Amino acid sequence: MSTTFTRRPTRIVVDLDAIAGNLRAIGAHAGVPVMPIVKANAYGHGLVPVARHLQAHGATRFGVAFVEEAIALREAGVGLPILVLGGIFGPQVELFLRYGLEITVSSLSKLRQVEQLAEAMGRRAAIHLKIDTGMGRIGVQHANAGPFVEAAAGSRWCEVVGVYSHLACADDPASPMTALQLERFLEACAHFDRIGAPMPARHLANSGGILHFPQTHLDMVRPGILLYGVLPDAAARAAVAVRPALSLVSQVVYFKVVRAGSTVSYGATWTAPRDTRVITVPIGYGDGWPRALSSRGQVLVHGRRHPIAGRVCMDQFMVDIGDASAFNEDEVVLVGGQEGEAIRVEEVAVDAGTIPYEILVQLNERIPREYRVGAAPGPASD
Ligand SMILES: *Cc1c(COP(=O)(O)O)cnc(C)c1O
């Protein structure tokens, strides 16, 4: 391929079929419509390529965090309903109507703002009411849901297409918080029945809810991280068979023998315990590869795990491969599989002292993304 020499040897490889397969698996497991969440650059996988592929393979809607993300989707030709999950700013309401986006209405005053603008533009707004059942982020307090539901259901310029809340502790199957939030949410929804208004789509479950709390599936589920084949927490139960979609791959850029007692990288925090072989990998925290992995993480070379040696630098880090052999340009796998061994994002997160979400979304645009479609490598038709 003529592009081989102009592309950075470090790359993210995204298996789009894995994401589409995960969407199907989640739908089959939950038994209700799915709103795939593609915020934060589709959790680092690439907003537009992921959404376009899912639009062509069974998605019926999307959820994003910000209106800017939704506009990027519209401009890329995504015509499906898109719910913006974040709170709205008054001056941006017009954008929602102009681009035909679904609005999260999280207070009575925001409802009035949307109504006013919708009337001024002569266009009805599609809204989802946000109820705060314990997350404490945005939304009307569950105890005050009555008047809010009444005002929204009676609005001439707003069509209530959904009502939702967000779970704070669903990653933990043992937390009593989720049952409490579900109870509060259902009580809030009951106000629609009480006033004889049609019940909009009720949605509550994030990935943790989908995996651990079937009662929270209700009328629709909102998977983010699970869609990408990653579990929300290292302790989560893999109740749905999903496949990781993202691999992070680089190549050896330097090889040397390090004598016992010599140090490696900034701060000289790592000392060779014996004569050993050390490779340099050209990716660092400037790409979003966490500095917290200094002398903690592992990578794969020729299907074997080797430890990161010393501090992760901005653009490079070193790996102690012991007496194994490696040559310049040999493949180094930071996330993903190689010759029967695999490193998962969940494991990288534990090593870095964070959650898998942060590992994924930190991988920035300095790393080129490559998209795979159509099963195993080999048939390269298009
Ligand atoms: C991000 C987000 C989700 C998806 O969360 P995951 O834990 O990644 O499944 C669902 N709902 C809301 C409101 C969110 O902000």
Side-chain angles (χ1 to χ4, degrees):
M1 242 189 274
S2 59
T3 55
T4 305
F5 301 105
T6 59
R7 298 214 64 179
R8 190 176 165 193
T10 299
R11 63 221 177 266
I12 286 170
V13 181
V14 177
D15 180 347
L16 291 173
D17 292 328
I19 302 177
N22 294 340
L23 175 60
R24 281 192 297 276
I26 292 165
H29 172 81
V32 294
V34 180
M35 178 190 294
I37 305 298
V38 292
K39 63 189 181 187
N41 201 26
Y43 288 57
H45 294 66
L47 172 65
V48 166
V50 167
R52 278 194 178 141
H53 188 76
L54 291 182
Q55 179 170 252
H57 292 85
T60 56
R61 65 191 70 250
F62 289 109
V64 296
F66 301 133
V67 69
E68 293 80 3
E69 295 173 318
I71 292 171
L73 288 178
R74 284 285 184 261
E75 287 177 345
V78 173
L80 295 171
I82 302 172
L83 171 62
V84 175
L85 299 162
I88 51 169
F89 288 101
Q92 289 193 317
V93 174
E94 187 194 339
L95 292 173
F96 286 83
L97 297 175
R98 184 139 41 96
Y99 286 92
L101 305 170
E102 295 182 353
I103 309 173
T104 292
V105 171
S106 51
S107 72
L108 211 47
S109 67
K110 287 184 192 283
L111 176 71
R112 297 303 178 212
Q113 238 168 4
V114 172
E115 275 181 317
Q116 264 170 28
L117 205 86
E119 182 168 11
M121 290 175 72
R123 245 184 240 190
R124 286 193 92 201
I127 66 171
H128 293 241
L129 305 186
K130 185 75 187 277
I131 311 294
D132 184 356
T133 58
M135 177 69 186
R137 197 163 61 177
I138 59 170
V140 169
Q141 292 289 317
H142 61 97
N144 305 331
F148 181 50
V149 164
E150 225 166 296
S155 168
R156 282 190 51 209
W157 289 98
C158 292
E159 185 191 353
V160 185
V161 296
V163 54
Y164 77 106
S165 187
H166 192 57
L167 297 172
C169 304
D171 295 355
D172 176 4
S175 173
M177 181 71 164
T178 302
L180 183 63
Q181 287 194 267
L182 175 62
E183 184 188 320
R184 290 169 171 172
F185 182 61
L186 293 176
E187 275 169 20
C189 293
H191 290 295
F192 285 94
D193 291 333
R194 189 175 55 77
I195 61 173
M199 185 66 74
R202 303 161 304 162
H203 47 108
L204 181 60
N206 52 8
S207 294
I210 292 165
L211 290 170
H212 305 134
F213 298 97
Q215 328 82 272
T216 65
H217 295 174
L218 303 175
D219 303 326
M220 185 152 69
V221 294
R222 305 190 306 266
I225 201 152
L226 195 60
L227 188 66
Y228 307 97
V230 176
L231 299 177
D233 186 278
R237 212 160 3 92
V240 187
V242 291
R243 209 148 52 84
L246 179 142
S247 306
L248 175 57
V249 182
S250 188
Q251 288 173 246
V252 176
V253 75
Y254 202 83
F255 171 95
K256 65 179 170 290
V257 173
V258 172
R259 296 295 168 201
S262 304
T263 62
V264 163
S265 198
Y266 285 118
T269 59
W270 187 89
T271 305
R274 52 188 146 64
D275 289 359
T276 190
R277 296 164 173 180
V278 170
I279 58 168
T280 302
V281 185
I283 164 174
Y285 65 80
D287 299 289
W289 185 245
R291 188 169 176 276
L293 292 173
S294 298
S295 294
R296 294 186 59 82
Q298 295 181 324
V299 301
L300 300 176
V301 183
H302 299 300
R304 279 181 56 191
R305 289 169 173 266
H306 298 287
I308 293 174
R311 298 234 171 107
V312 172
C313 311
M314 188 184 289
D315 319 297
Q316 314 178 58
F317 68 89
M318 278 62 80
V319 177
D320 177 11
I321 61 167
D323 56 7
S325 66
F327 293 88
N328 285 327
E329 285 98 52
D330 278 358
E331 183 187 77
V332 179
V333 170
L334 289 72
V335 174
Q338 188 189 57
E339 297 175 33
E341 182 62 75
I343 291 179
R344 294 186 58 106
V345 179
E346 295 89 330
E347 165 190 351
V348 174
V350 170
D351 288 339
T354 184
I355 52 174
Y357 298 77
E358 197 182 23
I359 300 294
L360 287 173
V361 303
Q362 273 179 355
L363 299 174
N364 63 39
E365 67 291 342
R366 193 158 75 143
I367 313 174
R369 274 129 176 105
E370 203 176 282
Y371 293 92
R372 295 273 164 86
V373 180
S381 49
D382 71 338

